[in-house]
Amino acid sequence: MKKTFETRKLYFGFPVFFLGYKDDVHGYNITTSSSAYSLGSMMVIGMRTKGNAVTEISKHGHFTVNIPREELIEEVELAGFNSRKDKFSLTGLTYTVGETVDAPLVNECPISIECEVVELVECGKLTNIIGKVTRRVVEEDLLDENGDFKGHEFSPISYIGDGSGRDYRFYNEKSLRMGTLIKKRREAEAKSD
């Protein structure tokens, strides 16, 4: 039986990433986030409206999404819990500037996505940054011989929890190719006809 659950927030598993942006004070900067989704060439990020990232991204019109692996968990926390500081100096992470945007790509992250701002939508104390993906870069070891992404080999950090506490979760080795189960079911149905 399900029960009404009163909490001020609920994270049911979102990827942790470094949001990269041009920063008038520090040149280029990052912050840690987990509120994002991508569909086709659209990327949507949710952030606190009064935060430095939203202020700078609204000024400069570009951002990057950089997805770390588990070994960068300490850097994830450092970049997330130190507001308005130079996070590259603080974490020791390095960057290169994007080819299609004026924002940093975190070199230590195996996946980076360059985005151009399309629209900012305020919703109370939060802002949704809607961007157009202009370029994606992936470490070569995550691409197969055909240049396709080996998703079963990539293990990002997930963010899960509620208002009383949140956890990082890590993927295990288990994976299942999308469509596998429906294909088996259809094959079984075809045999029974």
Side-chain angles (χ1 to χ4, degrees), residues 11-28:
Y11 298 95
F12 48 89
F14 300 93
V16 173
F17 62 93
F18 294 115
L19 178 64
Y21 55 93
K22 188 169 187 169
D23 185 319
D24 285 345
V25 174
H26 302 293
Y28 293 99

Side-chain angles (χ1 to χ4, degrees), residues 74-128:
E74 186 174 347
E75 290 82 354
V76 162
E77 290 224 326
L78 285 169
F81 285 98
N82 286 285
S83 298
R84 300 186 187 277
K85 294 183 180 172
D86 179 354
K87 314 273 185 73
F88 283 110
S89 292
L90 191 63
T91 63
L93 294 170
T94 61
Y95 69 90
T96 55
V97 177
E99 284 185 17
T100 65
V101 299
D102 191 14
L105 300 171
V106 178
N107 295 329
E108 292 80 2
C109 291
I111 299 173
S112 293
I113 303 168
E114 299 178 13
C115 301
E116 182 179 298
V117 174
V118 172
E119 185 177 5
L120 284 86
V121 179
E122 284 191 38
C123 185
K125 295 180 180 181
L126 303 173
T127 295
N128 290 302

Side-chain angles (χ1 to χ4, degrees), residues 34 106 133 140 187 193:
S34 65
V106 178
V133 173
E140 287 182 41
E187 287 170 353
D193 285 344

Side-chain angles (χ1 to χ4, degrees), residues 1-6:
M1 179 163 119
K2 292 183 183 176
K3 180 180 175 183
T4 300
F5 177 57
E6 298 295 335

